[in-house]
Amino acid sequence: MGGYNHIEGEIPYIDLPKELLESKQWSSTTEEWKELCGKVREACEDYGCFTVGYDEIFPAEQREEFFMCMKDLFDLPYETKQKNSSDLHPANRGYIATSVVVPLYESLGVQNPIYLGQAQAFTDLMWPDGNPAFCRSMNSLSRNMRRLELLSMRMVLESYGIPTYYEAVAENSVASFRMMKYRPPPATDEVALGLIEHTDKSFLTILCKEQVKGFELLTKQGHWLQFSPLQKGNFLVIVGEIFEAWSNRKVRALEHRVVMRGDKARYSCALFMVPKDEEMIEVAKEFVDDDHPLLFRPFNFAAFVKYYNSNATSKNALQVYAGV
Ligand SMILES: O=C(O)CCC(=O)C(=O)O
Ligand SMILES: [Fe+2]
């Protein structure tokens, strides 16, 4: 397996040039562009994830500022956080409080904070007296993550020779932003599950991490690998189940979990590229032939989420729900 800039702890690191991230024109015929698209695709197929650096465009200070804001958010009273609610999408658009099921985990989801109005509405809900720093910071971080998400998607499609799907995928998806806090285990020498192993219900997920360990991923060889804070790249691009289905399993959804050790709380945030509720997910015809029979029947995204939410303990929910 070749071609990655760097593999540390078995996760590929891909150096996406600053110009590419800044540019609005993501199409090119140069060899360099093609080669880079190939690397992104290979990472999605072989690993289900890759890391990228992003410091020039989104400096560490700005990320740190947002993580400070997030601490204030989770310090708000339960009653306030609970105002952010959603029946169909508790994880993507609502508040998940710590409970017996997830004793260390707490999260708040916001739909499309890449738009200032949406970021403002959430901020007003949490801080009726205002919190402009939070609003600005969430809006700017999520916009940068969305840019990275769209670019990654574009590059994979380009590498498969089907860039024309890009517009539809981008337009028919929403940017679901989720902020998470994990409490440390009750005793410092204890190791405790922060978030159970799962694959994301997204096309792609961009994860931004603070310097507290805990993210673990299942390698193709079947062992759990800790994502080291020293690993190059501050953003992790993760393949989700929807992309796996749409590509007829050409790309692989990454199984991951969070394991808490030590005495520090952990904060993280992620942007999920999820289909709009009404969207039908249908395997792209280019991925089906005599050697690659159709693996998933067309399914509606919201109906699948509803099924998953009521059968959350079932593994391989998508396979059970939409597998041929
Ligand atoms: O907090 C993390 O690092 C991972 C979160 C995650 O996997 C998720 O929200 O789907
Ligand atoms: Fe996840």
Side-chain angles (χ1 to χ4, degrees), residues 5-132:
N5 293 82
H6 186 89
I7 296 187
E8 192 176 350
E10 300 177 46
I11 302 173
Y13 171 75
I14 299 176
D15 218 355
L16 296 176
K18 183 171 183 261
E19 305 75 62
L20 203 54
L21 283 157
E22 277 174 342
S23 156
K24 290 226 161 36
Q25 281 227 296
W26 283 338
S27 185
S28 165
T29 50
T30 64
E31 281 307 309
E32 197 193 351
W33 160 254
K34 280 192 206 149
E35 202 183 304
L36 219 45
C37 293
K39 282 182 191 173
V40 172
R41 174 180 55 79
E42 271 177 44
C44 291
E45 290 179 359
D46 299 338
Y47 294 87
C49 68
F50 59 95
T51 66
V52 291
Y54 207 7
D55 274 354
E56 286 163 310
I57 309 232
F58 199 70
E61 305 83 69
Q62 286 180 33
R63 288 200 310 274
E64 278 157 21
E65 185 195 320
F66 182 69
F67 278 96
M68 291 303 293
C69 288
M70 244 195 327
K71 291 192 173 98
D72 293 342
L73 174 68
F74 283 105
D75 283 345
L76 288 171
Y78 168 82
E79 292 70 28
T80 308
K81 290 181 279 192
Q82 215 193 8
K83 285 198 274 176
N84 188 55
S85 71
S86 166
D87 287 342
L88 178 61
H89 297 287
N92 282 355
R93 301 181 204 168
Y95 174 51
I96 296 187
T98 48
S99 70
V100 275
V101 189
V102 282
L104 306 180
Y105 175 90
E106 199 182 340
S107 77
L108 282 148
V110 188
Q111 183 88 327
N112 277 331
I114 54 171
Y115 304 119
L116 198 53
Q118 306 277 98
Q120 190 68 58
F122 175 78
T123 308
D124 291 346
L125 192 64
M126 295 294 107
W127 288 279
D129 294 335
N131 187 341

Side-chain angles (χ1 to χ4, degrees), residues 178 195 198-200 205 215 238 256 272:
R178 193 182 302 162
L195 186 59
H198 65 280
T199 43
D200 293 343
T205 304
F215 185 89
I238 300 172
H256 54 281
F272 301 82

